[in-house]
Amino acid sequence: MALSMETESHIYRALRTACGAAAHLVALGFTIFVAVLARPGSSWFSWHPVLMCLAFSFLMTEALLVFSPESSLLRSLSRKGRASCHWVLQLLALLCALLGLGLVVLHKEQLGKAHLATRHGQAGLLAVLWAGLQCAGGVGLLYPKLLPRWPLAKLKLYHATSGLVGYLLGSASLLLGMCSLWFTASVTGGAWYLAVLCPVLTSLVIMNQVSNAYLYRKRIQP
């Protein structure tokens, strides 16, 4: 028996809500797991994985899900209120990423090790630089009069697309970090595969939620 369009819509929204809830829990759980594993404060390096996970796993995930019609924890706020929360979370993520990058540079200097010698380091630097550019681009949305020749709708589309790319770069850096000697020495077997699934799951959810949030905004706009 074929399902009605209304029933299919309800099922689809329920699935998206469930996936969004899973993304919230996984982003938080993964960050806590890494914090317990790294024991921040035990060394300069110990802060690096914690801050990077806080930036790219938790804060950026929450910043992007703010606009999801099904998964946002701030649905009661106005569009302007959610936008304010978005840029605050993104700015905090950038600050954490910059601090995490600075501490690992300091750690390598102390040990006399080469910088950017691994794919993880290269991807991490690219992700941090992209996040900085993304935040700078967000200023154009906060103050659209700075870019009078650009239609606001196009600026939002470019910003959302660029933000998704930046999020995926951050997730790629986290995945490469889980292949490092530090992580593989502490996490092995099934636990390692479960950890790897965390940024994969959140990335899939974010890709779906961001694209659908943009389509949703277009549908409700007059």
Side-chain angles (χ1 to χ4, degrees):
M1 183 177 178
L3 297 175
S4 66
M5 290 286 291
E6 184 178 356
T7 302
E8 288 183 353
S9 176
H10 285 316
I11 293 175
Y12 179 66
R13 289 178 66 88
L15 288 173
R16 278 172 48 78
T17 301
C19 288
H24 285 298
L25 293 174
V26 169
L28 177 61
F30 179 68
T31 304
I32 293 174
F33 169 73
V34 172
V36 171
L37 186 68
R39 293 183 296 117
S42 57
S43 66
W44 284 116
F45 174 80
S46 66
W47 287 101
H48 170 70
V50 177
L51 288 167
M52 289 306 195
C53 284
L54 186 61
F56 291 109
S57 178
F58 180 66
L59 290 172
M60 281 197 179
T61 299
E62 295 303 320
L64 293 173
L65 288 178
V66 157
F67 295 114
S68 171
E70 294 89 11
S71 305
S72 175
L73 299 177
L74 304 171
R75 288 192 296 272
S76 60
L77 294 183
S78 65
R79 168 79 185 172
K80 185 177 181 180
R82 281 178 286 155
S84 297
C85 291
H86 170 77
W87 70 257
V88 168
L89 289 169
Q90 285 291 92
L91 185 59
L92 288 174
L94 177 61
L95 292 175
C96 286
L98 288 171
L99 184 56
L101 179 64
L103 288 174
V104 79
V105 168
L106 177 62
H107 174 73
K108 285 183 176 290
E109 283 291 332
Q110 290 177 337
L111 297 180
K113 291 185 176 181
H115 299 289
L116 305 177
T118 64
R119 297 295 184 192
H120 166 61
Q122 294 162 5
L125 177 61
L126 182 58
V128 174
L129 292 175
W130 196 286
L133 291 173
Q134 180 70 8
C135 286
V139 175
L141 293 178
L142 286 174
Y143 306 101
K145 291 183 179 180
L146 295 174
L147 301 169
R149 296 186 178 182
W150 289 82
L152 186 58
K154 281 192 175 182
L155 285 176
K156 289 181 178 180
L157 175 60
Y158 296 153
H159 184 70
T161 304
S162 175
L164 180 56
V165 172
Y167 183 86
L168 294 178
L169 281 173
S171 296
S173 177
L174 293 178
L175 286 170
L176 290 169
M178 284 184 272
C179 297
S180 66
L181 292 176
W182 171 79
F183 194 85
T184 54
S186 304
V187 183
T188 59
W192 185 85
Y193 288 100
L194 286 175
V196 166
L197 282 176
C198 291
V200 173
L201 173 64
T202 54
S203 294
L204 291 173
V205 172
I206 289 297
M207 283 190 289
N208 179 270
Q209 300 274 356
V210 168
S211 59
N212 280 277
Y214 176 74
L215 293 174
Y216 175 80
R217 288 200 304 271
K218 288 195 68 175
R219 189 168 64 247
I220 64 174
Q221 285 174 351

